[in-house]
Amino acid sequence: MTTQPDTSAAPKQTGFAATDVLVNEFDGGPDTVQRAAGTPEELQPHTELGLKDDEYERIRQILGRRPTASELAMYSIMWSEHCSYKSSKVHLRQFGDKAPRGTRMLAGIGENAGVVQISDDLAVTFKVESHNHPSFVEPYQGAATGVGGIVRDILAMGARPIAVMDPLRFGAADHPDTARVLPGVVAGIGGYGNCLGLPNIGGEIVFDPTYQGNPLVNALSIGVLPVERLQHKEAAGVGNIVVLLGARTGRDGIGGVSVLASATFDEGAEQRRPSVQVGDPFMEKLLIESCLELYDAGLVAGIQDLGGAGLTCALTETAAAAGTGMRVWLERVPLREASMSPTEILASESQERMLLIVTPDNLERVLSVAEKWGVWATAIGEVTPSGEDGSPGRLVITWNDHVVVDVPPGSLADDGPVYARPIREPADLILLQADKAETLPRPSTGDELRETVLRMISSPNLCDKTWVTEQYDRYVLGNTVLAQPEDSGVLRIDENTGLGVALSVDGNGRFARLDPYEGARLALAEAYRNVAVTGAEPVAVTDCLNFGSPEDPAVMWQFAEAVRGLADGCQQLGTPVTGGNVSFYNQTGAAAIHPTPVVGVLGVFDNVARRIPMGFPAAGGDGDLIFLLGETSCELSGSEWAWVTHGHLGGRPPKVDLEAERRLAMLMARASEAGHVSAAHDLSDGGLSQALVESCLRRNVGAKVALPDDGQSAFVHLFSESAGRALVAVPRGHDKAFAALASEYGVPCAPLGVTSAEPVLEVRDQFSLPLDEARAAHEATLPALFGGVAELANRHGDPEHAADPTAPAGPDRGDAVLTTAASGAAMETAAPIEAEGIPAASAAEVKEPSPGGPIDPTA
Amino acid sequence: MRIGVVTFPGSLDDGDAARAARIAGADVVRLWHGDPDLHGVDAVVLPGGFSYGDALRCGAIARFAPVMESLVDAARGGLPVLGICNGFQILCEAHLLPGALTRNQHLHFRNRDQFLRVESTDTAWTNGFTDGQEILIPVKNGEGCYVADQRTLDQLEAEGRVVARYIRGNPNGSQRDIAAITNEAGNVVGIMPHPEHAVETLTGPSLDGLGFFTSVLRALAGASAGAHAGGHQ
């Protein structure tokens, strides 16, 4: 392994179609090892494949000759940023170095996904990954295969996948291209996940112009396994058979990781569509069932999923992990197109495939399980010994008796280049941090505050996301206890004991732009808090680090700071990073996205029956008491308020006190066990105002509150985004015990008011907001932008009722986001439509949100 | 009582249907699409999902599965069969029920908690409800828009074979708000929403879905009591 500074310029953008280069083998047959040895001077397209000159020279040194066309393609893939982590490796080591001791981690970074033990005999595995570039080029398939890929990672650990979540970031909500990308991405996630039978239990939908040319489509999956079923990827056991299981191999996705994921976009982006894979969720479902049957029958010696980098990655990683060699007959690979060259077969990223290592004795049984499920299974090779001198074996691949590859597998999988890239704080950061939002003009009267609340709850980032989430199945498998819009997704794992998990995934690119170190810790704190307020104990972390080009020192500085922040934060909270993904080159042209570390936190419940939902419970009698936990400071920089009302981004993000977060989490777990809390909601984007509105709307329960009289203005109380806070409802009779518990844990606990059967949010001395009006503002935004209301109205031939898609204006134009007038107009269209029997959510029909919450069993 | 739950390649809610039947008090027998043997079950649930990846049309290929050959005969002989979502689609493709389920009118997959009104309590699967009872169970489908020609629709209405209708909003554009129908004998019911997802307070919006499974157990108990008494079906 070498470390070399990389000072070369940005990669040359040629706009080529990946297939043009890769199929360009010499006339009359494939480029063989023999031929490569005889034609050392032949020019090879290494630059077009994303390899630097010095990297190409290293390949020649390793092989002692020029690489064959197939070998060159394999090195370009495996040494790409996506596969080799060459720019991030030196930083990511901190996650291991600073990992807290004594955790429940069974497998960590470097595996397909981290595995965490949650009981004597059960473990869960979870991971978040990016599929950003494919989803921009081809939103439906890009997003769909993002789900498919992360699910196979989970499957490869021996787990049954049990849920997915999707943190999504798009450009301005009203930008025409967002109307292209978002519906496609959402349909792709739904189309794949729904068909796979995995509930979608949460995620994020964020709009910001920074993601205009580069949306972020991250996908998280979680699975469960008996501890003893944990699988490994080592291709151990000389003479064992290498079996390719699943879909046939086609020409899709060639160059996906090297062309799409490891370079910035330019004008030629649409020509890269062939680099996007095409998904078949039905095949993946069969693949899942057949793999699980194989695991349970003990027929698998080693397994690796085929994702980015396809067969190349799976063959080299399984062999390298075991130190063995491998002999592969490429013509045995079942193909969709018979004319595929060996290079194409090796580079294809066709989906729904797994590589198995099985003993010769078990081969027949493996093939019959595959046949039962109607899945292709083909013995394509065998494990060969390491060298007589103890050196690792070689990966030898033939195609119709031509030797097209003969390499040491470790040189591809482990010995890729490692760069300590130059880092430099962005030149504009000091000025940006000096431009604080705390000095912006604020609303002050009750009427102004009321109007601001309405404007905020209807803004694209804070509005109701049902238009998206109802396209996802959240019920399948029957273990979803809480799902979006709750703070965390909560799943029951064991039906007998109630053992379960909570999962939340969060990020804030604006905070990270203002301070990447603190931004990463804030993302961690928010996800941690979202898990904690349900009553679960947070235990482990996964991350998806979305950044611009690592060749830009300013981006690299942001990355280094964010990793340092996250590693420090995890150390302090005692929650190890178990795995994740780095996504670089998220930029179009020179403009990088805001640095966007997305953090997933896993929590554990001994019994999910004690989970705390976010909505105020239907008020009986005098209502429950509402408390605000944590401390509110005047922290408006980077806030949603600054963005929505002023289009402002500047200053320093809110302070993070992870010790306070930890105490809050312990308080919530204890309170949940004791049954002291009937509802809890984390305070984050949009502050207290947003939390109050959401907690009220969830079950159409009102609240009467008085803001604390502590010197802070009503405005600061309502819209500051100080971390470490939560809103809780406490049943009468429990308030003293709860307050005592809060005091024991040192969590500030201020009484705010009571829940109320009257469907109104009343803030004493400030304003009163009927929930119908709040709901109308909150729910109209996405249907107006993406078609729901307009589409239904148009279908009824009533153009007057069609929502005007041009009405809302995004903050990137410097306009008001969505004025209350506009949202009111959009809502007016819903009423008459509903009267005709077409669905439109209304306050009246919301009986009980689901899943979750205590339910009237007499219904 | 033994309730069979069929698994096709691509069935997704088979585990949920089995759980619901178990909670209702049945013994559950898992049936396999490739095995024509019904293993002597007293009733069968065709669960939701995407059998055969919805290739060609939803349910179009499942209809030809070996298990369906015996199931169609058994259903014609009076075996209670409940088709949920994809199961409903399969029953229509197998011509055990009239009409078809097409793409939702708004073209999106939609998952929400849905109110229904039970309009026929004469079937094997709904005898435990009261006429006109309003229930809340999840709906989740992309192709749940029920269509049939006018004469068929009129006939279904006239014969009291509309088992349940969507109320307070139609989630997919189904004609006459139809959510569930039955055959002439009342032993075969197809329903688009998912009663198996409303059987536990922890995970469902209500317990209303249990009624479908307890109904069939009651119908079977009644039938077997009748049989022991020397009666006939």
Side-chain angles (χ1 to χ4, degrees), chain A residues 209-226:
Chain A
T210 191
Y211 308 112
Q212 196 65 64
N214 202 118
L216 301 184
V217 175
N218 296 173
L220 180 150
S221 183
I222 177 169
V224 61
L225 67 154

Side-chain angles (χ1 to χ4, degrees), chain A residues 468-740:
Chain A
V468 169
T469 56
E470 76 174 5
Q471 296 188 47
Y472 306 147
D473 183 350
R474 65 179 180 273
Y475 279 106
V476 63
L477 298 181
N479 287 315
T480 308
V481 178
L482 295 177
Q484 65 275 39
E486 298 281 339
D487 288 327
S488 293
V490 172
L491 296 168
R492 175 176 62 185
I493 299 287
D494 185 328
E495 286 186 43
N496 298 317
T497 63
L499 177 75
V501 293
L503 255 180
S504 179
V505 60
D506 294 283
N508 188 319
R510 287 202 288 261
F511 287 162
R513 173 71 176 94
L514 298 179
D515 185 338
Y517 180 86
E518 292 296 330
R521 296 196 329 138
L522 279 160
L524 171 66
E526 187 184 345
Y528 182 91
R529 195 183 325 124
N530 276 327
V531 164
V533 294
T534 66
E537 180 200 350
V539 295
V541 168
T542 181
D543 62 356
C544 189
L545 305 171
N546 305 278
F547 288 78
S549 167
E551 296 162 49
D552 175 346
V555 169
M556 211 53 219
W557 178 83
Q558 292 172 328
F559 180 79
E561 284 293 286
V563 170
R564 191 169 66 85
L566 188 56
D568 286 352
C570 287
Q571 186 174 31
Q572 196 174 347
L573 288 173
T575 51
V577 176
T578 59
N581 163 250
V582 176
S583 174
F584 278 131
Y585 296 103
N586 289 294
Q587 60 185 73
T588 297
I593 59 163
H594 289 337
T596 311
V598 170
V599 180
V601 170
L602 174 80
V604 177
F605 276 106
D606 51 357
N607 188 348
V608 283
R610 67 172 173 83
R611 87 291 186 213
I612 306 170
M614 92 181 201
F616 291 144
D622 298 333
D624 287 0
L625 298 162
I626 302 172
F627 291 91
L628 175 63
L629 304 180
E631 246 167 320
T632 306
S633 314
C634 180
E635 294 179 300
L636 300 163
S637 291
S639 72
E640 205 57 43
W641 171 79
W643 182 252
V644 168
T645 59
H646 295 280
H648 181 274
L649 175 61
R652 285 181 177 277
K655 284 187 285 298
V656 201
D657 179 350
L658 293 175
E659 178 51 30
E661 301 282 358
R662 214 172 54 79
R663 283 186 273 112
L664 176 66
M666 289 191 291
L667 166 64
M668 293 307 297
R670 281 282 300 280
S672 152
E673 283 160 6
H676 289 326
V677 180
S678 57
H681 192 10
D682 127 275
L683 264 62
S684 53
D685 305 356
L688 178 63
S689 150
Q690 181 74 12
L692 278 170
V693 170
E694 287 177 347
S695 294
C696 285
L697 290 182
R698 186 76 170 127
R699 294 172 199 210
N700 209 40
V701 172
K704 295 181 196 306
V705 301
L707 299 171
D709 183 17
D710 58 1
Q712 298 283 11
S713 68
F715 165 78
V716 168
H717 276 297
L718 287 170
F719 297 106
S720 167
E721 294 187 7
S722 294
R725 297 182 303 159
L727 189 65
V728 295
V730 176
R732 285 176 195 266
H734 289 267
D735 48 321
K736 285 204 175 67
F738 179 76

